[in-house]
């Protein structure tokens, strides 16, 4: 079991290194973000259970589809969820929410973990920077690169001892028309 665990960890480090060094061009297609999120959670289910983490998922009923590379977005979700899981060594709660507007899909990952010190927060997207002894320092850099290549943006907020929240904004593949209410038209 120890050897298998180490092999898996080393494989993940090598894979992330290769993705960081040789990033693939995204192959865009309209995708249901909530479907990608469900697949990612199924993939990480055992890891989440082993750490005694309760996951709460809230997706808007009419979540619009986004034009994304499914594999790359899944990788970004895996990296963010794994970071959250590792930030809660004694168990905790992770809340994932997804909503949409006429311009983007917003996906937030909030954990009840240890949080990130302010002096580390400014460096978390730097290559090879990690505060974890077993960390490669590539996970968040890869997430940021994927989001940027999709024309999106990321926000992060953290409080020591209260947890961290990463929010991804992905542009929609098909622009939706939003009708103005009477008050908005008159303003």
């Amino acid at each position: 079991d120890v050897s298998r665990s180490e092999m898996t960890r080393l494989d993940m480090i090598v894979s992330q290194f290769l993705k960081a060094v040789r990033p693939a061009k995204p192959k865009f297609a309209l995708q249901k973000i909530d479907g990608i999120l469900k697949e990612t959670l199924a993939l990480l289910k055992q890891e989440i259970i082993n750490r005694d983490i309760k996951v709460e998922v809230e997706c808007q009923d009419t979540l619009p589809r986004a034009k994304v590379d499914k594999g790359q977005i899944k990788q970004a979700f895996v990296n963010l969820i794994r970071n959250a899981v590792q930030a809660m060594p004694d168990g905790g709660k992770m809340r994932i929410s997804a909503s949409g507007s006429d311009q983007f899909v917003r996906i937030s990952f909030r954990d009840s973990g240890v949080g990130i010190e302010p002096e580390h927060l400014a460096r978390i997207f730097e290559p090879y920077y990690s505060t974890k002894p077993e960390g490669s320092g590539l996970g968040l850099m890869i997430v940021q690169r994927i989001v940027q290549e999709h024309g999106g943006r990321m926000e992060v907020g953290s409080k020591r001892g209260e947890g961290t929240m990463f929010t991804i904004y992905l542009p929609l593949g098909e622009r939706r028309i939003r009708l103005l209410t009477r008050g908005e038209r008159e303003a």
Side-chain angles (χ1 to χ4, degrees):
D1 284 345
V2 171
S3 294
R4 189 174 298 129
S5 174
E6 274 303 294
M7 293 281 289
T8 302
R9 186 180 74 78
L10 291 172
D11 183 51
M12 184 181 75
I13 290 170
V14 170
S15 294
Q16 287 191 341
F17 178 76
L18 291 174
K19 286 177 185 171
V21 173
R22 293 183 301 198
K25 289 280 183 210
K27 293 178 179 80
F28 296 106
L30 280 176
Q31 299 287 337
K32 296 181 90 177
I33 298 298
D34 53 336
I36 298 172
L37 190 55
K38 286 177 189 172
E39 288 178 25
T40 306
L41 287 168
L43 177 71
L44 299 172
K45 181 180 179 178
Q46 197 56 52
E47 200 171 327
I48 292 167
I49 290 170
N50 290 347
R51 293 278 186 130
D52 192 29
I53 294 169
K54 307 296 180 235
V55 178
E56 181 182 301
V57 179
E58 183 182 315
C59 288
Q60 179 181 321
D61 289 338
T62 57
L63 192 63
R65 296 186 306 164
K67 202 169 197 175
V68 298
D69 180 306
K70 182 179 179 180
Q72 289 188 12
I73 293 300
K74 186 186 278 189
Q75 182 63 54
F77 290 174
V78 164
N79 290 3
L80 290 173
I81 293 170
R82 274 210 172 114
N83 276 3
V85 166
Q86 292 169 359
M88 299 181 282
D90 301 320
K93 184 177 177 183
M94 182 177 359
R95 185 171 189 273
I96 303 170
S97 62
S99 60
S101 71
D102 56 338
Q103 295 179 3
F104 57 83
V105 175
R106 176 183 167 271
I107 311 101
S108 293
F109 301 82
R110 178 188 295 268
D111 66 60
S112 64
V114 296
I116 302 170
E117 295 286 350
E119 62 269 17
H120 297 296
L121 201 54
R123 299 190 62 202
I124 60 173
F125 297 110
E126 290 179 18
Y128 310 111
Y129 181 80
S130 179
T131 59
K132 297 179 277 188
E134 75 282 354
S136 67
L138 295 172
L140 290 176
M141 182 201 77
I142 290 169
V143 173
Q144 184 181 48
R145 191 202 77 236
I146 289 170
V147 170
Q148 287 174 344
E149 287 184 2
H150 281 74
R153 64 183 171 90
M154 267 178 67
E155 294 176 354
V156 61
S158 187
K159 275 196 171 177
R160 188 74 182 137
E162 293 182 27
T164 302
M165 182 165 82
F166 285 91
T167 304
I168 296 174
Y169 296 87
L170 295 172
L172 294 182
E174 44 193 36
R175 300 283 303 209
R176 295 176 10 163
I177 298 172
R178 183 175 64 90
L179 299 176
L180 298 176
T181 63
R182 176 174 236 168
E184 289 176 312
R185 281 186 293 217
E186 293 171 0

